[in-house]
Amino acid sequence: MTSWIGSSWIKYEISRLFPNAKNFNFRLLTITLRRHGMLSRIATRSTRILSLSSLIYPLTFRKPSRQSRVYQSPLLKKFSTTVQQRNAFAPLDTFARRHNGSVEGDIEAMLEVVGVKDMDEFVTKTIPSNIRSTRRLHLDNGLTESELLERLKAIASKNKVYKSYIGMGYADTIIPTVILRNVLESPGWYTQYTPYQPEISQGRLESLLNFQTMVSDITGLPISNASLLDEGTAAAEAMRMCYSHKNRKRHTFFIDENCHPQTIACVQTRAEAFNINIKIGDALTYDFEQHKDDLAGVLVQYPATDGSINDYSSFAKKIHSYGGQVVCATDLMALTMLVPPGEWGADIALGNSQRFGVPLGYGGPHAAFFAVAKHYERKMPGRLVGVSHDSHGAKAYRLALQAREQHIRREKATSNICTAQALLANMAAMYAVYHGPEGIKAIGKRIHDLTTILADGLAQLGYPIKTRQFFDTLSVHVEEGSDIIINKALESGINLRKIDSSTIGIALDETVTKQDLEQLINIFSKPEVTTPGLTAIAEKSQSAIASQFLRKSQFMQHQVFNAYHSETEMLRYIHYLQAKDLSLVHSMIPLGSCTMKLNATTEMIPITWPEFANIHPFAPSEQTKGYEKLIKELEHDLADITGYDGVSIQPNSGAQGEYAGLRVIRAYHQSRGDNDRDICLIPVSAHGTNPASAAMAGMDVIIVKCETNGDLDMEDLEKNAAKYKDRLAAFMVTYPSTYGVFETGVTEACNIIHKYGGQVYMDGANLNAQIGLCTPAEIGADVCHLNLHKTLCIPHGGGGPGMGPICVKSHLIPFLPGHPLKNVGGEKAIGPISAAPYGSADILPISWAYIKMMGADGLTQATKLALLNANYMARRLAPYYKILFTNNNGMCAHEFIVDIGPFETIGIGALDIAKRLQASI
């Protein structure tokens, strides 16, 4: 590594620790640093500040020979030492020794540099005594990798993979194996960080632009974002967007009763915080005249949840005449045959792109899409990839408009969305690239043809089809009662949807075969009626879509969707894009505020097992016992790690976790009659999503000052808490602080808030500095969220997926999020935060596996090493740079901030250093 920022202290370090190591070159050092990682980021609020988060490993070298220069990894020393100490029966595939980077000799050397005699003294000087925990984590001892996989297979076997025709926004899909192997299962794609630095993100930015182009083309709307968390969240964002578009002066939002029930519930949850009046009914017959002066928008489903297709063209004109906006929840595959929403007047189109080659995964992760008409782009939530030019005039991609908009506008932001679903959006985009427009049309037509054949067959058996116009979903009237057919289907390993006591829903997908249709016909067969033959039906079957609904416009005409239709071409295109990007496959991640950990292969393997990947989110609980066991164990472990009493894993991101936690707090206050408690105190140093999430939860934000040393201004906190004592709902705090310090006054701050009747919310983004040494609950916080995609090893995926479960004390358990289709949450549950009951359940095995393999000792040691690495680096850099914030003992937490202000006099800023670090990789 030849970067000027590191050259002096790296040379000094090598000469100090290894005085006999001569004749090595920096090219070799660059390779070793690339292998073992060093992570840095830019603090976004000032171009004067460079924050370095430490993942650097001291290196040892053998004396070089003429033939070669031999590198000896600390891991090799660790392995050798460990083997010598084991007995003959002990397994060797232990996990923690391969995950934690430093070995005993390195630790001793780093402790000496930091100025302490041992790890105990170091922890004592780093973490305030009033928050240090004395209890050991009550977790299993670390499993070996083979033991872990064996146990997880036993859990997975408790899930039953049935053929699901439930629909409701989720469909089984055939994942092209070239995409499965080279995107979903490739660390070159799933370990990438969010593309804030375009120079090292051109590949995934191009792929996300493909996703946007695909969505825009298929929906018929000019602008699409780069994904949202799920369809329910996207609909809630659309409602908020309609509300904001009218300057928050119109408070009525209408939802068609034929929308998916989970979508309706998510919108209702979001509406409560803004006192938006939700009306539900039949959109085509409802009298909107009564709301003409207060109507913000209308949400319809196209096709509807029962499969029906309606003409909304005149309806859209009517809503626009009242000044309202039209939001359409839709299905990309259906739109390959249907007139797109943009052509009949919709202002916003949204939905789930899951059926474009992404596993069901018991509800997620899936990439929601969101497209808007002109003049709405600046209020559109999420990220938008745009085309620009680099310094040489060549075409380049970058995040445009509202990239991390909540960090700019904070409590005035229109959305708190940060993490989205980039990896899954990239999979959907690759699916479109691989099949092309004609392939996608063929898949859609085949699904519709099979649905038409099934409808004709059921009609011949005497079952009325209630949906006259349909794409892939039938509503079938069953005179003898739905349960009889539902139970017959279950006996054959099939899930159908019970719409009501006499109506069954059947949604087909691209995996359906002739044999599947025959099995369905047999389930509905009657002794007195001859079972029809499918071949004869197919010969006479006609489309169930009237000509007025058939799409005539072309889509996906861009070259990228018409060039890579063989596996060879597709494989090369995927790797062509991957080669443009930086990921943990290559080296450190030089930009980003998130903890970037190893995403171990053993943790990742299970997510594509059919027992986890092929489960519908609304499958009966008898089929999901494996998931239930894994979730229960994970909730127990998260509660133990944080010291809390209850857990909800429903939130799909950290920002969603913040929103969920604050909604739980408001529900708690309201249950006690404290309806006026709507003030949230937030330090000026807080992460940008904090004030944005508070605004989403319907709270007014009051900013609390910080001292010049970065500590919370306790006097200002008490003053504001006392001033708003009758309205104080919550105080949000990040710990350790975003300045990289364990503040000594955090328990006092919690006491102040509680004294005035408020609750304390802790942002768990920095939990990596706490596990095993202190807990949010013991510190005094009432609720916190955890970023499983930071501290607990779910990969970032280039900007998602993520998970943001919330942990709460016992008095808040009754208010944990519920769901209309699954029995989850507390007795007085708030509405759902996510479309699926357990959020992105398919990636939960990653964090579960990490905790089980690390065990209590491994997790605690990882925390200690994170703190030691940061302090070691700070001491090495201190002679050359000013370290801005430390505690009274001169210690930082797991990150620190460097002042590079003096270099600005010669035209060097923080971005220059970041890009120089990137260039030296």
Side-chain angles (χ1 to χ4, degrees):
M1 180 177 177
T2 56
S3 169
W4 63 267
I5 186 174
S7 61
S8 57
W9 66 267
I10 288 178
K11 291 177 181 178
Y12 174 83
E13 173 62 9
I14 293 296
S15 63
R16 189 191 69 79
L17 290 179
F18 313 109
N20 297 322
K22 300 178 180 180
N23 301 322
F24 72 91
N25 60 45
F26 276 90
R27 181 176 180 275
L28 180 60
L29 183 57
T30 300
I31 294 172
T32 56
L33 287 177
R34 180 181 301 158
R35 288 175 180 168
H36 294 284
M38 184 177 74
L39 186 66
S40 65
R41 73 166 167 92
I42 298 300
T44 58
R45 286 184 296 276
S46 172
T47 57
R48 299 184 60 201
I49 295 176
L50 173 67
S51 172
L52 296 172
S53 181
S54 59
L55 288 174
I56 186 170
Y57 300 79
L59 311 169
T60 60
F61 294 86
R62 293 178 179 174
K63 185 176 181 179
S65 65
R66 291 183 181 180
Q67 290 78 19
S68 65
R69 195 178 307 279
V70 181
Y71 162 70
Q72 181 180 355
S73 167
L75 187 60
L76 181 59
K77 294 196 298 179
K78 182 191 302 187
F79 182 81
S80 301
T81 303
T82 304
V83 171
Q84 292 171 5
Q85 293 174 350
R86 288 187 178 277
N87 61 54
F89 302 103
L92 298 179
D93 60 331
T94 54
F95 180 77
R97 64 186 173 85
R98 295 189 184 275
H99 185 85
N100 290 335
S102 300
V103 296
E104 201 60 40
D106 300 329
I107 293 172
E108 292 173 359
M110 287 192 287
L111 289 170
E112 181 182 348
V113 171
V114 172
V116 295
K117 66 178 183 298
D118 56 29
M119 188 67 82
D120 289 339
E121 182 185 356
F122 168 69
V123 171
T124 299
K125 289 188 172 183
T126 303
I127 301 178
S129 60
N130 64 334
I131 68 163
R132 283 200 302 273
S133 180
T134 57
R135 75 173 181 91
R136 185 179 183 275
L137 295 176
H138 299 141
L139 302 175
D140 298 335
N141 293 326
L143 298 174
T144 67
E145 296 187 52
S146 57
E147 290 171 341
L148 183 285
L149 290 174
E150 183 178 357
R151 182 175 175 192
L152 197 52
K153 285 178 181 176
I155 292 176
S157 69
K158 298 179 183 297
N159 289 332
K160 300 176 182 179
V161 183
Y162 280 29
K163 188 77 175 178
S164 286
Y165 301 103
I166 298 172
M168 301 173 70
Y170 303 92
D172 206 355
T173 181
I174 298 173
I175 308 171
T177 50
V178 66
I179 298 173
L180 176 71
R181 174 60 62 88
N182 295 285
V183 179
L184 181 58
E185 297 178 343
S186 170
W189 283 89
Y190 65 68
T191 68
Q192 298 168 350
Y193 184 54
T194 308
Y196 298 133
Q197 190 167 340
E199 295 89 345
I200 55 173
S201 311
Q202 288 298 293
R204 90 202 76 151
L205 286 171
E206 179 174 330
S207 184
L208 290 173
L209 184 64
N210 292 344
F211 177 81
Q212 293 176 184
T213 304
M214 171 194 77
V215 170
S216 181
D217 281 1
I218 294 178
T219 61
L221 290 164
I223 302 171
S224 165
N225 72 11
S227 80
L228 291 177
L229 296 172
D230 57 39
E231 183 169 341
T233 301
E237 294 285 348
M239 177 205 65
R240 175 72 196 280
M241 187 171 160
C242 293
Y243 177 60
S244 298
H245 184 70
K246 293 299 181 180
N247 298 316
R248 307 185 183 187
K249 294 180 179 179
R250 293 191 171 204
H251 292 80
T252 297
F253 189 82
F254 183 89
I255 306 176
D256 185 78
E257 61 190 7
N258 222 350
C259 291
H260 297 318
Q262 71 273 18
T263 300
I264 296 174
C266 285
V267 175
Q268 288 175 317
T269 302
R270 186 70 65 90
E272 291 171 0
F274 300 101
N275 294 319
I276 295 175
N277 183 24
I278 296 294
K279 297 292 184 180
I280 300 174
D282 184 341
L284 295 178
T285 61
Y286 190 82
D287 178 16
F288 287 96
E289 183 71 23
Q290 59 186 309
H291 305 299
K292 64 179 182 179
D293 296 324
D294 193 51
L295 184 65
V298 175
L299 172 65
V300 296
Q301 192 96 38
Y302 173 77
T305 191
D306 67 357
S308 59
I309 301 170
N310 295 304
D311 183 357
Y312 289 112
S313 54
S314 60
F315 169 80
K317 293 177 181 178
K318 179 173 68 173
I319 297 302
H320 289 152
S321 71
Y322 293 139
Q325 316 305 309
V326 177
V327 181
C328 175
T330 189
D331 174 1
L332 292 177
M333 192 64 75
L335 295 184
T336 64
M337 294 191 70
L338 301 179
V339 175
E343 293 182 13
W344 53 251
D347 302 292
I348 302 171
L350 57 90
N352 187 359
S353 67
Q354 175 266 319
R355 71 187 307 171
F356 271 39
V358 177
L360 285 165
Y362 201 36
H366 304 144
F369 61 87
F370 197 96
V372 300
K374 288 183 179 179
H375 312 304
Y376 292 93
E377 62 269 17
R378 291 192 176 275
K379 291 187 180 294
M380 182 172 63
R383 301 186 177 105
L384 179 70
V385 177
V387 181
S388 185
H389 294 88
D390 64 16
S391 58
H392 302 289
K395 183 172 71 174
Y397 307 107
R398 63 183 293 272
L399 294 180
L401 291 182
Q402 292 173 277
R404 295 195 45 108
E405 181 251 14
Q406 72 277 10
H407 286 263
I408 301 169
R409 303 192 66 217
R410 299 174 74 81
E411 68 271 15
K412 296 181 180 179
T414 57
S415 171
N416 71 337
I417 291 294
C418 182
T419 295
Q421 302 286 18
L423 180 65
L424 298 316
N426 283 330
M427 286 187 68
M430 292 297 183
Y431 180 93
V433 169
Y434 192 43
H435 288 297
E438 296 307 315
I440 296 291
K441 288 178 188 176
I443 294 170
K445 186 176 186 307
R446 180 179 181 274
I447 293 171
H448 176 65
D449 289 345
L450 293 180
T451 308
T452 303
I453 293 169
L454 177 62
D456 291 345
L458 293 175
Q460 290 186 27
L461 288 172
Y463 294 96
I465 306 301
K466 299 174 72 172
T467 42
R468 293 187 302 106
Q469 307 277 341
F470 56 80
F471 168 66
D472 67 350
T473 300
L474 304 175
S475 288
V476 184
H477 178 72
V478 183
E479 185 67 32
E480 60 270 33
S482 301
D483 290 339
I484 295 176
I485 299 296
I486 294 287
N487 291 330
K488 284 181 66 176
L490 289 172
E491 292 173 2
S492 300
I494 289 174
N495 292 322
L496 302 176
R497 178 188 176 190
K498 181 180 179 180
I499 296 178
D500 58 41
S501 61
S502 61
T503 308
I504 288 176
I506 309 174
L508 303 192
D509 56 61
E510 68 169 310
T511 70
V512 174
T513 64
K514 180 182 180 182
Q515 290 73 27
D516 293 326
L517 290 187
E518 290 173 343
Q519 190 176 28
L520 286 169
I521 291 291
N522 288 332
I523 288 170
F524 282 86
S525 64
K526 300 177 180 179
E528 69 275 13
V529 180
T530 302
T531 302
L534 293 182
T535 301
I537 294 175
E539 292 175 354
K540 299 178 181 180
S541 183
Q542 296 181 351
S543 174
I545 303 176
S547 59
Q548 71 186 89
F549 294 111
L550 288 175
R551 180 171 193 145
K552 298 178 177 61
S553 58
Q554 297 295 311
F555 59 91
M556 289 167 48
Q557 296 302 296
H558 191 279
Q559 181 184 1
V560 73
F561 300 113
N562 296 277
Y564 306 106
H565 299 162
S566 74
E567 181 166 339
T568 302
E569 292 167 331
M570 191 67 199
L571 178 68
R572 290 172 179 170
Y573 181 62
I574 291 171
H575 282 268
Y576 165 74
L577 295 184
Q578 178 182 313
K580 295 183 174 186
D581 285 13
L582 188 76
S583 70
L584 294 182
V585 167
H586 305 95
S587 65
M588 62 182 179
I589 302 296
L591 187 69
S593 61
C594 300
T595 302
M596 297 291 289
K597 288 192 173 184
L598 167 72
N599 311 120
T601 305
T602 298
E603 298 161 4
M604 299 298 297
I605 285 175
I607 68 170
T608 55
W609 290 352
E611 296 88 347
F612 289 126
N614 296 349
I615 304 288
H616 193 283
F618 307 136
S621 59
E622 293 78 12
Q623 299 169 24
T624 60
K625 296 300 182 184
Y627 259 120
E628 290 176 10
K629 180 175 177 58
L630 183 142
I631 290 169
K632 184 177 180 180
E633 289 188 9
L634 180 59
E635 288 177 341
H636 168 274
D637 291 349
L638 296 181
D640 186 63
I641 286 170
T642 58
Y644 285 108
D645 305 302
V647 178
S648 170
I649 59 153
Q650 192 178 112
N652 271 328
S653 72
Q656 288 293 86
E658 294 173 10
Y659 170 70
L662 293 172
R663 285 302 314 275
V664 165
I665 287 173
R666 286 215 70 185
Y668 166 74
H669 287 310
Q670 290 166 353
S671 74
R672 293 158 54 89
D674 292 334
N675 297 317
D676 294 330
R677 290 193 176 273
D678 61 353
I679 291 288
C680 186
L681 303 181
I682 301 179
V684 68
S685 61
H687 193 265
T689 56
N690 288 179
S693 295
M696 296 297 106
M699 296 184 182
D700 292 334
V701 175
I702 302 297
I703 301 300
V704 178
K705 299 176 183 177
C706 287
E707 303 282 5
T708 55
N709 66 352
D711 287 353
L712 185 67
D713 187 329
M714 302 301 293
E715 182 178 339
D716 191 55
L717 177 68
E718 174 117 37
K719 182 184 72 174
N720 281 292
K723 179 179 179 180
Y724 298 104
K725 64 182 185 341
D726 295 328
R727 293 182 58 196
L728 180 60
F731 168 59
M732 298 187 78
V733 61
T734 302
Y735 201 75
S737 73
T738 54
Y739 292 148
V741 177
F742 286 97
E743 297 183 43
T744 58
V746 65
T747 54
E748 180 187 353
C750 294
N751 291 335
I752 290 172
I753 298 303
H754 290 145
K755 180 173 68 173
Y756 291 104
Q759 297 283 287
V760 177
Y761 180 96
M762 182 172 288
D763 186 322
N766 291 340
L767 192 72
N768 194 51
Q770 293 191 43
I771 295 181
L773 302 179
C774 58
T775 70
E778 291 177 318
I779 289 170
D782 300 284
V783 56
C784 81
H785 84 267
L786 293 77
N787 296 87
L788 299 189
H789 52 291
K790 298 181 184 180
T791 305
L792 296 173
C793 291
I794 288 176
H796 281 70
M803 286 289 281
I806 58 171
C807 306
V808 300
K809 289 188 174 179
S810 59
H811 64 283
L812 296 178
I813 289 177
F815 310 98
L816 289 175
H819 197 277
L821 300 171
K822 284 279 187 178
N823 184 22
V824 299
E827 297 174 357
K828 303 176 183 178
I830 64 170
I833 302 301
S834 302
Y838 299 106
S840 296
D842 192 34
I843 54 177
L844 292 176
I846 299 171
S847 295
W848 179 91
Y850 173 69
I851 293 171
K852 297 302 183 187
M853 289 191 291
M854 290 290 278
D857 293 338
L859 289 171
T860 303
Q861 182 68 358
T863 304
K864 292 177 179 179
L865 290 177
L867 298 172
L868 179 59
N869 288 341
N871 280 278
Y872 170 77
M873 287 186 64
R875 293 301 173 92
R876 290 272 59 85
L877 287 171
Y880 315 102
Y881 305 93
K882 180 181 179 181
I883 309 301
L884 287 180
F885 305 111
T886 60
N887 65 14
N888 293 334
N889 296 317
M891 300 292 183
C892 63
H894 69 311
E895 62 181 342
F896 59 95
I897 297 177
V898 176
D899 185 2
I900 62 163
F903 295 95
E904 291 184 342
T905 60
I906 56 174
I908 295 175
L911 284 174
D912 298 306
I913 295 176
K915 293 180 180 182
R916 184 64 186 89
L917 284 169
Q918 178 263 318
S920 65
I921 293 169

